Amino acid sequence: MGLRGPGARRLREAREALPARKRRLPWQRKGLSRAERVVAFLQWLPVTKGPLAGKRMKLLPEQRAFVEAIYGDLDEKGLRRRRLGIKSEPKGNGKTGLCAGLVLCHLVGPECEPRGEVYSAAVDGQQAAIIYAEAEAIIERVPEFAAVANCTRFHKRIEVLDGPGRGSIYQAMSADARKGHAIAPSLFVFDELAQVPDRQLLDNLLNGLGKRREALGLIISTQAPDDTHALSAMIDDGLSGADPSTFVQLICAPPEADPFDERTWLACNPALGKYLSLKEMREAAARARRIPAFEPSFRNLRLNQRVDAREDNRIVTAAVWRTGAVPIDRAALRGRTCYGALDLSGKHDLTALVLVFPDDAPEPRFDILPFFWTPEGQLGARPPAEQERFREWIRLGHMAAIPGPTIRFSFVAQQLVALSREFDIAALGYDRWRIDDFRQDLADVDADFPAPLEPFGQGFKDMTPAVEWFAELALTGRLRHGGHPVLTAAVAGAITVTDAAGGIKVDKGKSNRGPVRIDGAVAAVMALGLAKRFEGAPRVDVDDFLRNAVFG
């Protein structure tokens, strides 16, 4: 084997420690499927640190589901269909142990092959060393592994010297080393890709997958803070189902969830209360509640939400928005004066109407009543996680599904006319996009809509005072929205941009790359801006409006 010195001595001692009678290891039992062998291997490995040190690894249900999806989806030849697996979840849910276990599975376990190449990648040398250290610690505790594997701590490298995986190597790599050009990985595991600022190492690893018949790439990471990061793009593409060779398991809190509710933590942290400390989670949440600057990182790392730590570009923070989550009594609003705004979608997406009801106080508070419509025929084309949320919102009455493959503006027009009989709609603002189609449909329903339609520009000139008014009302606790989940998700995703003159507006291009479009937030901004514009102004003559504005 050519080994000398400490390496040769360790191997000799490991072989002497082997049981006198060769034992059959759990994953070598006959009759196991490929995925069952991987699960049996992982669950036989020792836990080397933490509160469970000395026990066998126990896969959480979500971890087992991920492993089974990767190794259990086989073609007619028994080959894996999955070439890329992405597991995104909050920190502290057993990522390091799972990564190290999968590395060993492809080195000395059921997925090994002669002269395999296994790599783990991370943002820097320190992070890269974590998986290596865990793999080495496991090898030292398993005589069968220690007898065939030589670990070189300085180089973060493991070489398999005997057995089915003879000639295989494992190397820990970091993005700051600019490595990976001439490799042919049988497996790579990218740890915390969200922290890597560029994609050079990722691209080299992905390109290397084509050099082997069953090469596999695994990415295990919390979400990146924004939609432009490579990880975000890969998650969104994987969830779309466009590439059946990619599997994505995304475990995160939805944007409308209360980040300080323990039920939210439990729903997206499978290990919480097991080996993830509930006490530590409570301390982190309390700090984020006391100091708003800590809230974005808490939501990103602990809830796995796609939240930038620099939340100054959000229209309002989640904490501010939650202050308005008080119940709204729709029956009590009947006959009340209100102002509305309509944000028309493409006919395959989401249309939003928001009504705002000022009270009679000198500094009025506003009750917000939102309405959302989406085509029922397009639900099946949405990514699975988004489809599940939409169907739940529809079931609970927070969104209406319009029969057919497209939004019928005539249906929305009929709903608007019905609402005008329930409430005193003083004016309705609209984005000029597609408004001509809607005006025609409003005329075609053959019913009187008594309120004037007011154009509301989407540029800095019109949106600046409206966005500032929206933020002022939210910050001073003068908005009541009942915690409506669709509206809350829209507000959570609404990103603002400023111009050289200090103007501000919601940027639909940046905002709408997220899982939920922000039409509801835009409609709320317009409705409140319209209310400020109209309060105290003389009412428009209805007959004059009907003659000139609607029917042209």
Side-chain angles (χ1 to χ4, degrees):
M1 292 179 293
L3 287 180
R4 297 176 182 273
R9 185 174 64 253
R10 285 196 303 269
L11 282 170
R12 184 172 62 252
E13 292 171 351
R15 288 174 176 175
E16 291 172 354
L18 284 172
R21 183 177 179 181
K22 187 177 181 180
R23 57 180 176 173
R24 173 172 288 184
L25 300 172
W27 63 91
Q28 296 171 339
R29 295 198 313 267
K30 292 183 179 179
L32 296 180
S33 68
R34 189 167 182 176
E36 288 171 339
R37 288 197 297 271
V38 176
V39 170
F41 175 85
L42 293 172
Q43 298 204 131
W44 186 78
L45 297 178
V47 179
T48 65
K49 62 181 180 180
L52 300 179
K55 297 183 179 181
R56 301 286 184 190
M57 183 185 295
K58 177 69 173 177
L59 294 181
L60 297 168
E62 292 79 3
Q63 292 175 328
R64 184 169 187 143
F66 180 75
V67 169
E68 290 174 344
I70 298 297
Y71 295 94
D73 188 1
L74 309 177
D75 64 17
E76 61 279 359
K77 296 180 181 179
L79 302 178
R80 287 191 309 266
R81 288 191 174 92
R82 306 293 191 182
R83 301 277 285 178
L84 181 64
I86 302 174
K87 180 176 177 61
S88 183
E89 63 187 353
K91 64 176 291 188
N93 284 280
K95 167 179 59 65
T96 299
L98 181 61
C99 288
L102 290 169
V103 161
L104 292 173
C105 184
H106 285 254
L107 276 181
V108 294
E111 288 292 311
C112 72
E113 61 181 87
R115 300 189 66 200
E117 294 181 33
V118 180
Y119 301 95
S120 67
V123 64
D124 55 32
Q126 182 178 2
Q127 183 78 14
I130 294 175
I131 292 178
Y132 168 82
E134 184 64 22
E136 181 190 44
I138 293 173
I139 288 173
E140 289 176 349
R141 287 161 175 77
V142 180
E144 286 85 353
F145 298 169
V148 300
N150 180 49
C151 301
T152 309
R153 187 171 300 174
F154 179 79
H155 296 291
K156 307 295 183 289
R157 179 183 171 92
I158 301 171
E159 183 180 1
V160 180
L161 304 173
D162 203 359
R166 182 172 182 172
S168 295
I169 60 98
Y170 158 74
Q171 180 73 57
M173 308 175 69
S174 61
D176 58 4
R178 304 298 181 188
K179 296 177 180 178
H181 285 283
I183 61 175
S186 46
L187 170 77
F188 77 76
V189 180
F190 214 122
D191 181 25
E192 289 299 344
L193 176 60
Q195 298 179 21
V196 179
D198 63 60
R199 55 180 302 155
Q200 181 175 342
L201 179 55
L202 174 65
D203 286 340
N204 289 337
L205 291 167
L206 289 171
N207 290 333
L209 292 178
K211 301 175 184 179
R212 291 180 184 264
R213 185 173 66 166
E214 274 198 294
L216 176 64
L218 299 176
I219 298 170
I220 302 181
S221 176
T222 54
Q223 288 210 79
D226 59 69
D227 300 325
T228 62
H229 194 279
L231 176 60
S232 302
M234 295 172 74
I235 288 175
D236 293 343
D237 181 66
L239 291 175
S240 74
D243 183 359
S245 70
T246 297
F247 175 76
V248 174
Q249 184 187 70
L250 177 61
I251 304 173
C252 64
E256 69 275 9
D258 181 353
F260 302 124
D261 189 329
E262 293 195 6
R263 291 170 295 183
T264 300
W265 311 344
L266 289 165
C268 62
N269 284 276
L272 190 60
K274 300 179 178 70
Y275 49 80
L276 178 60
S277 169
L278 181 58
K279 178 176 180 291
E280 183 185 349
M281 180 73 83
R282 285 170 175 162
E283 290 172 351
R287 182 169 57 249
R289 190 192 289 269
R290 290 194 313 271
I291 309 171
F294 283 91
E295 183 180 328
S297 62
F298 176 81
R299 290 168 56 198
N300 179 233
L301 298 177
R302 303 284 186 165
L303 306 182
N304 200 31
Q305 293 179 326
R306 198 177 294 181
V307 178
D308 196 332
R310 302 160 298 176
E311 269 223 331
D312 54 351
N313 63 341
R314 299 283 168 176
I315 189 167
V316 293
T317 66
V320 168
W321 182 251
R322 283 194 304 276
T323 61
V326 296
I328 300 294
D329 184 357
R330 178 169 173 170
L333 297 175
R334 183 179 295 274
R336 285 260 306 271
T337 297
C338 63
Y339 300 86
L342 188 66
D343 197 314
L344 297 169
S345 69
K347 291 200 170 187
H348 297 84
D349 213 329
L350 193 67
T351 285
L353 168 70
V354 173
L355 302 179
V356 298
F357 298 77
D359 61 20
D360 296 328
E363 292 187 346
R365 296 174 180 266
F366 289 85
D367 292 308
I368 300 177
L369 203 58
F371 302 87
F372 298 90
W373 298 278
T374 193
E376 188 173 32
Q378 292 297 321
L379 287 173
R382 295 184 177 277
E386 181 179 314
Q387 181 183 150
E388 181 180 347
R389 292 173 69 196
F390 271 47
R391 292 191 186 280
E392 179 68 3
W393 285 337
I394 291 168
R395 185 183 70 81
L396 295 174
H398 301 306
M399 179 187 293
I402 297 179
T406 63
I407 290 278
R408 298 198 309 275
F409 289 158
S410 59
F411 180 90
V412 176
Q414 290 172 345
Q415 297 297 302
L416 187 57
V417 169
L419 289 170
S420 72
R421 295 176 182 137
E422 182 178 359
F423 309 112
D424 178 18
I425 303 177
L428 182 74
Y430 64 86
D431 176 0
R432 292 181 179 85
W433 190 74
R434 311 223 46 179
I435 193 62
D436 290 339
D437 292 341
F438 180 75
R439 282 189 175 195
Q440 185 59 52
D441 286 337
L442 186 60
D444 289 344
V445 299
D446 195 25
D448 290 338
F449 180 67
L453 269 64
E454 291 288 323
F456 206 108
Q458 303 298 293
F460 289 104
K461 177 178 179 294
D462 291 299
M463 290 300 287
T464 294
V467 170
E468 290 176 345
W469 177 234
F470 178 94
E472 178 185 332
L473 291 171
L475 285 165
T476 55
R478 293 157 62 193
L479 294 181
R480 296 180 292 239
H481 49 76
H484 193 285
V486 189
L487 181 60
T488 297
V491 171
I495 297 172
T496 61
V497 292
T498 57
D499 64 5
I504 186 170
K505 68 175 184 177
V506 178
D507 189 309
K508 287 189 175 183
K510 291 182 178 180
S511 304
N512 282 335
R513 285 197 294 266
V516 177
R517 291 180 60 89
I518 48 86
D519 307 81
V522 173
V525 168
M526 290 195 295
L528 290 165
L530 195 65
K532 186 178 184 183
R533 185 192 302 175
F534 268 68
E535 279 294 281
R539 295 288 297 271
V540 175
D541 181 83
V542 173
D543 293 334
D544 183 68
F545 161 72
L546 291 175
R547 283 194 301 272
N548 300 309
V550 178
F551 300 105

